[in-house]
Amino acid sequence: MTNSLEHDRTATLELSGRTALVTGGGVGIGAAIAEELARRGARIFITYRSHEPDAIALARLRTPEGQEATALRVDLTVEDEVQRLHDSVAAAGRLDILVHNAGGLVQRSAIVDMPYELFRRVQVLNVDSVFLVTHHLLPLMSEGGRIVTVASLAGRSGGHAGATAYATAKAGLFGFTRGLAGELAPAGITVNAVAPGFIEATPFHDTFTTAASKRDTVNAIPVGRAGSPADVASAVAWLSSPSSSFTTGVVLDVNGGQHFS
């Protein structure tokens, strides 16, 4: 038999009756986050651009009560498209949980070789998109809402070779998180970030990381394994829950001991 304290703690991790939007929710970490929030009872909206979820993936995003998820193709760097995203979510009522997951490295390049256009593209994809989505969807958020941004260990460490522009963008999200946390605290809305380390089974590492680099990185992780998208999803789910009401402005490292902040 569980005692009342244990029951209360379990209950506050449930998200039934809440609506969540996960950007970049069609694959990898974003898909795992969306699945975890749905499993806890949240109605799910996801955005995608190049990784459209199929029927099987969408079925995994149904709530235990059978409520269907909504997948929307949106370029989050285009303000008119973000406004249409607002309109789609607004039709469903309020927004309780906003997870900024979309972003990417684009390509590896040393700064000396990098065209300014590429540097700006990385910032727009990773930082400007977070601003646009927050700016347009914040009016829909309920009191007690949750905002969580998926940043990266690269924002702390500088990343591997050729990732300076990406690291700059992710470090910028730390500042955005803390500033926004201060702005929204009086409304009871918490704003936090997670900074994943090496997470296997993601398009990022499948595209940009060699097999040798993956092996060396995993061998250096103190807990002795790579992370999984589910590891990040669990952290995001807690930050999205009523249990985290006294936690805001935090960057939570999810890296198996690769880096201590």
Side-chain angles (χ1 to χ4, degrees), residues 45-254:
F45 283 83
I46 66 168
T47 70
Y48 67 92
R49 188 167 67 172
S50 56
H51 295 96
E52 181 176 5
D54 59 22
I56 295 173
L58 285 174
R60 291 197 292 266
L61 303 183
R62 291 194 194 104
T63 67
E65 293 75 27
Q67 192 167 32
E68 301 283 347
T70 300
L72 302 166
R73 189 179 190 280
V74 183
D75 184 340
L76 300 176
T77 69
V78 178
E79 188 165 16
D80 286 348
E81 294 199 26
V82 176
Q83 179 61 56
R84 287 195 290 273
L85 171 62
H86 164 277
D87 296 343
S88 296
V89 177
R94 73 179 193 271
L95 178 64
D96 303 289
I97 300 163
L98 172 57
V99 181
H100 295 292
N101 171 74
L105 178 66
V106 183
Q107 71 180 68
R108 293 193 185 277
S109 175
I111 291 297
V112 70
D113 299 321
M114 182 180 293
Y116 179 55
E117 182 279 331
L118 175 57
F119 184 83
R120 285 301 315 146
R121 183 181 171 195
V122 174
Q123 308 315 305
V124 168
L125 177 61
N126 291 282
V127 181
D128 294 27
S129 64
V130 170
F131 164 77
L132 287 173
V133 173
T134 303
H135 175 72
H136 283 282
L137 274 76
L138 192 56
L140 301 179
M141 293 209 76
S142 60
E143 182 175 357
R146 302 284 183 264
I147 299 176
V148 184
T149 298
V150 179
S152 173
L153 172 59
R156 298 199 188 280
S157 68
H160 288 171
T164 300
Y166 176 76
T168 300
K170 292 301 187 180
L173 292 178
F174 298 164
F176 187 86
T177 294
R178 291 164 179 148
L180 190 63
E183 285 188 30
L184 300 184
I189 297 173
T190 66
V191 186
N192 296 288
V194 293
F198 182 79
I199 307 298
E200 278 190 319
T202 64
F204 182 102
H205 288 298
D206 291 344
T207 304
F208 298 112
T209 309
T210 65
S213 179
K214 290 180 184 179
R215 182 178 62 252
D216 292 345
T217 299
V218 173
N219 288 341
I221 295 174
V223 300
R225 68 172 178 88
S228 71
D231 291 318
V232 183
S234 295
V236 172
W238 179 74
L239 290 171
S240 301
S241 75
S243 289
S244 64
S245 62
F246 201 59
T247 301
T248 196
V250 165
V251 178
L252 179 61
D253 295 308
V254 185

